[in-house]
Every structure is written in C-alpha cells, then in structure tokens.
Amino acid sequence: MTVLVTGGSGYIGSHTCLELLNAGYDVVVIDNLCNSSPKSLQRVEELAGGKHIPFYQADVRDRAALTKIFEEHTIDFVIHFAGLKAVGESVAKPLAYYDNNLNATMTLCDVMGSHGCKRIVFSSSATVYSGDNKMPLSETSKTGNCTNPYGWTKYMGEQILRDIAKADPEWSVCNLRYFNPVGAHESGLIGEDPKDIPNNLMPYISQTAIGRRDHLSVFGNDYDTPDGTGVRDYIHVVDLARGHVAALSYLQDHKGECIFNLGTGVGYSVLDMVHAFETANGVDVPYEIAPRRPGDLPTVYSSPEKSRQVLGWEATYSLEDMCRDTWHWQSLNPNGYQD
Ligand code: NAD
Ligand code: UDP
C-alpha cells in the first residue's frame, strides 16, 4: 500500500512518514519546502533503515505536478498535511492562507478523484471547536466561531471533504483534529524547526533553554485555571503520527466521513510545561509574565475516548517524554536542520 503524504517534510509529516514506513507502507511525498528542509526526509530514510521516499518538490496547488505523481505511482491513500499554520500571519495575510490551504485541498481532491484514489486523512485542528464549549472537547462539541483565518481554513477544509464524501459514497474521509503536538523522535534526528520566532509554547521554551531566546513570555497568569496560566492538551508527535497509521487502517473498510480527536485528554498549564521541561532536562527556562495573547482560551483539552474506542489508538508518551525528546532534538540541532 502506498501513501502520498502532502507536506511530508514538515514537522508532523516527517514523523508520520517514519511511522508509515515502520508499519510497512510505501511513502511518496510532495512538499514545496516553504516551511521545511529536505534534510528531514533524508533523516527519515536513515531512521527507516535506508528505505527510499520518492520526493516531489512542488506545490499541492500545482495540478500538473500532482497528476504526474498519480501517473508515476499507484496511490492508495493520501495524508494531507500541506498547509500554512501561523495564526498571526493568517490574520495579516488572509488571502494567502485561504489560497494556499483551500486551493491545495480542492486541487488535491480533484486529482485524487480523477485517478480513482478516494481515501484521505486531513490535518485538522482543535481550533475548529467553538470557544464556548465545555471541556473536554468531544468530536460532537460545537465547531465554528474561529478567531482567525487559519482556523477558518481548517473548518472549511473539513467541510469541503465532508461535502465530497456526501456527494460520492466511494470516498473515505478522515478529519483528524490535533490538539498541541510537541516533542520529537527519540533519536533526536527529526523534530520541529520553526523558521522564524516560534509562535508555539514548546519550541519557545526549548529555544529559551538553549539560549536562542532571552526569556519566555507567559501570556497571562490571571486565567481561571489552577495557576492562572493557560491550559492545553500537549501530545507527543510520535503518538500523533501513530494516530495517522491507525486512521489509515480504519479507512480501509469505512466509507464516508469520520472525525477523531488526537489528544491525551490531560491538560497542563504554561507553568506546568516550564517546570516539567526544567526538571526533565536539568536546564533553566527564564520566564516573565506578559499580558494575555488576544484570542487565547483559558483551557482546552480533548476527550480521546472516541479515538481509543473506534481507532484503538491512544497516546502513550508522558509529559516527561515530551520534554526530554524536545530537548534531545534541540540540543543535537541547536539551529534546527541548518546545522
Ligand atoms: P509544517 O509547516 O512543519 O508542515 C507543513 C508542510 O507543508 C511544510 O513542509 C510546508 O513546506 C508544506 N506546505 C505548505 N503549503 C504547501 C503547499 N501549498 N504545497 C506543498 N507543500 C506545502 O507544519 P506541521 O506542524 O507539521 O503541520 C502539519 C499540518 O498539521 C498543517 O496542515 C497544520 O495546519 C496542521 N496542524 C498543526 C498543528 C501544530 O501545532 N503543529 C496543530 C493542528 C494542526
Ligand atoms: N504561550 C505562552 N507563551 C508563548 C507561547 C504560548 O505563554 O510564547 C501560551 C499560550 O498563551 C497558550 C499555551 O501557551 O496558553 C499554548 O500556546 P500555543 O500557541 O503553543 O498553542 P495554542 O494556543 O494554539 O493552543
């Protein structure tokens, strides 16, 4: 079985390619490298014992490039990671986000359909859930009211796939809603390599610990949470990657649309993360309390029950594992893949 992985050289994509190869799938990747390095896939090949990943450096909106891939390979499944993901940038450049994320999804599905490949897993996000839900979030919690264009591209991406599955009963569509992916492969060879100043907490913590940033700004300590700082559901990227392998097995014999949360079901605060990182790695993470970040919710965490019961998948890595593996990657590669 061959899986086309769009955005496969990125953070989650590279870890998923490795888990797919380990599970016996063949993998083909398309990525335009707008936010990643070709080194990640070389390292995945190394970790997979020298297995080869055919790589196409192209934009998923490029119909001709996609068609060539489908002509050169028999693709059984697609996992669609390719997308822009910086929330702040999406507010500043909404058209770039709608164009990249939605046109990629539509072009991809069109080319898939015309080659008889109708099984897709889509990288969605907890950001599609409306801010007025009770925790934990289950797959039936209310969606919408997104606070930024990035979130809307995920909401609309899901809807496009849902409509395709409704129109043609041959399609199998799996919308996976990720919570907060962190960590890295235990080898320290692949990991998250933000091009600019990190927006997300964990890469900011590790870049502060290694001295690339002066201190972490903790965005608000007056939320209604146990220590006043924001609470999120952090999940090890290898657990997340394995969730995709579980989703492919499920798609083998299920048609229509399915939705699964990929989270641990446990929430940790910003200060929990700082202290866990310091303890796991014996390093200091200087921080200062800063104002709240606009659009942030106090607490977000998943119910992982449906994924556990239906996919037979659950997260296995602890917070300590997440912190240790992040630091291992960061200290072996202080400047990411540039080293
Ligand atoms: P990433 O930026 O590391 O990976 C995305 C990859 O897609 C990059 O390699 C980039 O070069 C590529 N890409 C982007 N647009 C493309 C296009 N038009 N054509 C070809 N390649 C393109 O990000 P990631 O963290 O690995 O995220 C993967 C997916 O998961 C994204 O869709 C993201 O929105 C989604 N997601 C991520 C998180 C997170 O916190 N990391 C959370 C929820 C959902
Ligand atoms: N956060 C923070 N400082 C940072 C980055 C994030 O205090 O430099 C907080 C943020 O306010 C939120 C949590 O860390 O409470 C997770 O933020 P992230 O951007 O990683 O994920 P998301 O908000 O998308 O869940």
Side-chain angles (χ1 to χ4, degrees):
M1 293 281 204
T2 302
V3 188
L4 173 63
V5 181
T6 77
S9 64
Y11 171 46
I12 304 170
S14 54
H15 288 81
T16 303
C17 287
L18 179 58
E19 294 306 315
L20 289 169
L21 292 172
N22 288 343
Y25 289 96
D26 291 320
V27 172
V28 176
V29 167
I30 176 170
D31 197 305
N32 63 5
L33 302 181
C34 69
N35 196 40
S36 55
S37 159
K39 280 195 195 155
S40 64
L41 289 181
Q42 292 163 13
R43 294 192 181 175
V44 169
E45 290 178 332
E46 199 181 307
L47 288 167
K51 285 188 189 165
H52 175 58
I53 300 176
F55 174 65
Y56 295 80
Q57 183 177 346
D59 197 298
V60 179
R61 289 166 295 178
D62 180 344
R63 182 178 298 273
L66 272 181
T67 302
K68 186 167 181 277
I69 296 174
F70 279 87
E71 281 169 1
E72 291 181 356
H73 303 270
T74 302
I75 304 292
D76 298 290
F77 300 94
V78 173
I79 304 182
H80 181 32
F81 291 109
L84 300 176
K85 62 163 186 177
V87 170
E89 187 184 54
S90 80
V91 175
K93 300 179 187 168
L95 278 180
Y97 271 67
Y98 288 117
D99 176 27
N100 192 81
N101 293 3
L102 297 183
N103 282 327
T105 303
M106 291 189 285
T107 307
L108 176 65
C109 290
D110 198 27
V111 175
M112 285 174 67
S114 57
H115 289 83
C117 174
K118 299 185 178 181
R119 293 189 285 204
I120 185 167
V121 174
F122 177 59
S123 292
S124 188
S125 166
T127 192
V128 301
Y129 289 114
S130 175
D132 54 1
N133 284 299
K134 285 216 174 76
M135 296 299 138
L137 295 167
S138 75
E139 290 79 353
T140 52
S141 295
K142 198 171 134 198
T143 58
N145 299 322
C146 301
T147 52
N148 56 74
Y150 166 72
W152 282 118
T153 68
K154 292 298 172 192
Y155 179 90
M156 293 177 195
E158 283 198 8
Q159 187 63 42
I160 289 167
L161 294 171
R162 188 168 301 133
D163 288 339
I164 291 172
K166 259 189 216 151
D168 178 351
E170 287 301 306
W171 276 81
S172 305
V173 163
C174 184
N175 287 317
L176 293 182
R177 294 178 179 160
Y178 312 157
F179 281 69
N180 291 60
V182 296
H185 188 260
E186 62 177 10
S187 64
L189 285 182
I190 55 173
E192 186 171 13
D193 181 18
K195 278 213 156 87
D196 302 312
I197 299 174
N199 297 303
N200 296 115
L201 179 64
M202 192 59 133
Y204 210 104
I205 288 179
S206 62
Q207 290 194 5
T208 304
I210 205 132
R212 272 173 74 180
R213 312 279 158 214
D214 178 53
H215 67 273
L216 169 76
S217 294
V218 174
F219 298 143
N221 67 347
D222 55 355
Y223 286 108
D224 184 14
T225 61
D227 65 16
T229 67
V231 169
R232 296 290 183 275
D233 183 341
Y234 298 92
I235 174 169
H236 195 294
V237 66
V238 173
D239 275 330
L240 190 78
R242 290 178 183 157
H244 293 73
V245 179
L248 289 194
S249 304
Y250 184 78
L251 288 192
Q252 305 245 25
D253 42 26
H254 290 87
K255 296 203 187 297
E257 187 217 4
C258 57
I259 303 175
F260 295 102
N261 284 339
L262 293 182
T264 65
V266 180
Y268 291 107
S269 75
V270 177
L271 292 182
D272 288 337
M273 298 301 287
V274 168
H275 299 318
F277 197 91
E278 291 180 325
T279 307
N281 300 313
V283 293
D284 284 334
V285 180
Y287 68 86
E288 288 177 8
I289 304 299
R292 290 181 179 195
R293 187 171 64 177
D296 272 356
L297 293 171
T299 300
V300 181
Y301 59 93
S302 70
S303 162
E305 269 314 293
K306 184 181 173 196
S307 302
R308 195 173 62 77
Q309 285 175 15
V310 182
L311 292 181
W313 167 91
E314 64 186 328
T316 57
Y317 287 91
S318 67
L319 180 57
E320 190 185 346
D321 297 329
M322 300 180 212
C323 293
R324 186 202 54 229
D325 291 340
T326 301
W327 184 238
H328 189 206
W329 152 254
Q330 180 74 71
S331 34
L332 283 182
N333 308 271
N335 297 306
Y337 289 109
Q338 278 173 30
D339 289 320

